[in-house]
Amino acid sequence: IAFGNTTKGERIAASFCHICGRRNGPQMTLKTCGNFKTGSCRKVVCERCIESYNLMSGSEIVDEITNVVWKCPHCVDSCPARARCHSYKISNQKRYASQHELSDVS
C-alpha cells in the first residue's frame, strides 16, 4: 500500500526529522523507521536526535542475523515532547476549538 509522497506507487520516506524538523542534507543523515518497508510508517529521525534522546539501544540496531529493525519513537509510542506530532496535535486542537467557536456563534 503506497501512501504519503509517492511517485508511481513507490513509497518515499519523509524529508524532515520527526522530532526536530531538520531537513536531510549533506551535514545531516536521517534514519528511516523499520516499519517503512511494511508501508505502515514513513517517519525519519536525524542522527542528532537519535543521539540526544538516546533512541537507539543495541537491540534496536539492524542486525542481519536476527532481523531486529529500529523503529521510530512514533511507532513505539515514545515521542519526546519536541516531536512534530505533539506540536501538530496542539495546533489541530486549537484549530478545532476555534472552528467550533465560530460555528456556535453563527
Side-chain angles (χ1 to χ4, degrees):
I1 296 175
F3 59 92
N5 297 333
T6 60
T7 304
K8 297 181 182 178
E10 293 179 32
R11 284 187 291 272
I12 299 173
S15 299
F16 296 89
C17 175
H18 176 64
I19 297 171
C20 67
R22 289 185 190 96
R23 186 169 175 83
N24 196 15
Q27 302 294 322
M28 182 67 55
T29 302
L30 299 174
K31 180 151 183 65
T32 305
C33 178
N35 285 331
F36 177 74
K37 290 181 180 179
T38 65
S40 61
C41 182
R42 53 183 292 268
K43 290 176 178 52
V44 295
V45 179
C46 72
E47 288 179 342
R48 187 182 300 174
C49 286
I50 288 172
E51 188 175 309
S52 296
Y53 293 99
N54 196 26
L55 298 176
M56 193 154 201
S57 68
S59 64
E60 294 174 323
I61 297 170
V62 176
D63 184 341
E64 301 299 326
I65 298 169
T66 61
N67 290 324
V68 174
V69 178
W70 178 80
K71 294 196 173 59
C72 73
H74 192 81
C75 286
V76 295
D77 200 28
S78 65
C79 292
R82 280 192 65 194
R84 304 292 105 196
C85 58
H86 293 301
S87 60
Y88 294 153
K89 181 179 179 182
I90 292 167
S91 297
N92 289 337
Q93 287 172 341
K94 288 179 182 178
R95 186 179 311 112
Y96 180 80
S98 68
Q99 288 173 347
H100 279 28
E101 287 175 10
L102 292 175
S103 64
D104 290 344
V105 174
S106 302

